[in-house]
Amino acid sequence: QVQLVESGGGLVQPGGSLRLSCAASGSIFSRNLMAYYRQAPGKERELVATINNYQTTYYADSVKGRFTISRDNAKKMVYLQMNSLKPEDTAVYYCRIIGLGDYWGQGTQVTVSS
């Protein structure tokens, strides 16, 4: 059974930074896609960034140049470094791993406010 545990969320002022971490336990297929999504209050869940096992990345236009996704295959970890945070980045952030199965983390709250 695969489980994803997220950490790193919190309250930060506009312009600040946070680093989200997502730890996978259990057997993860080596060829997989790791991703972060977010869901703001009253809005649909949206894709933020992805990284595949070849380290190829994708970013939503709204975070391009500010967020960086990375992964450590040996540790079964995925990270989201978020810089220059804006109030509109406030949301619950979820990690997801798609391989032989499709797994989601429990979500971590990120609040950007002065």
Side-chain angles (χ1 to χ4, degrees), residues 2-9 19-25 28 33-37 69-73 75-81 93-97 103-108:
V2 174
Q3 288 188 323
L4 305 182
V5 178
E6 301 181 51
S7 60
R19 188 194 194 206
L20 305 183
S21 300
C22 177
S25 62
I28 300 291
L33 183 72
M34 296 181 171
Y36 270 96
Y37 288 73
I69 191 169
S70 60
R71 59 189 283 167
D72 185 328
N73 292 327
K75 296 181 179 180
K76 293 188 287 186
M77 297 284 296
V78 58
Y79 307 97
L80 186 69
Q81 177 66 43
Y93 284 71
Y94 299 89
C95 64
R96 181 185 187 188
I97 295 179
Y103 308 100
W104 290 84
Q106 82 284 1
T108 186

Side-chain angles (χ1 to χ4, degrees), residues 39-112:
Q39 187 166 19
K43 295 187 177 181
E44 293 188 354
R45 191 172 297 188
E46 64 175 355
L47 177 64
V48 175
T50 68
I51 183 168
N52 64 18
N53 49 292
Y54 297 105
Q55 303 289 337
T56 302
T57 57
Y58 162 84
Y59 297 95
D61 287 343
S62 58
V63 306
K64 202 172 293 184
R66 301 187 297 121
F67 290 10
T68 303
I69 191 169
S70 60
R71 59 189 283 167
D72 185 328
N73 292 327
K75 296 181 179 180
K76 293 188 287 186
M77 297 284 296
V78 58
Y79 307 97
L80 186 69
Q81 177 66 43
M82 305 185 295
N83 298 328
S84 302
L85 282 161
K86 304 175 181 180
E88 52 263 43
D89 294 318
T90 295
V92 178
Y93 284 71
Y94 299 89
C95 64
R96 181 185 187 188
I97 295 179
I98 306 170
L100 291 181
D102 187 352
Y103 308 100
W104 290 84
Q106 82 284 1
T108 186
Q109 177 70 46
V110 171
T111 302
V112 185

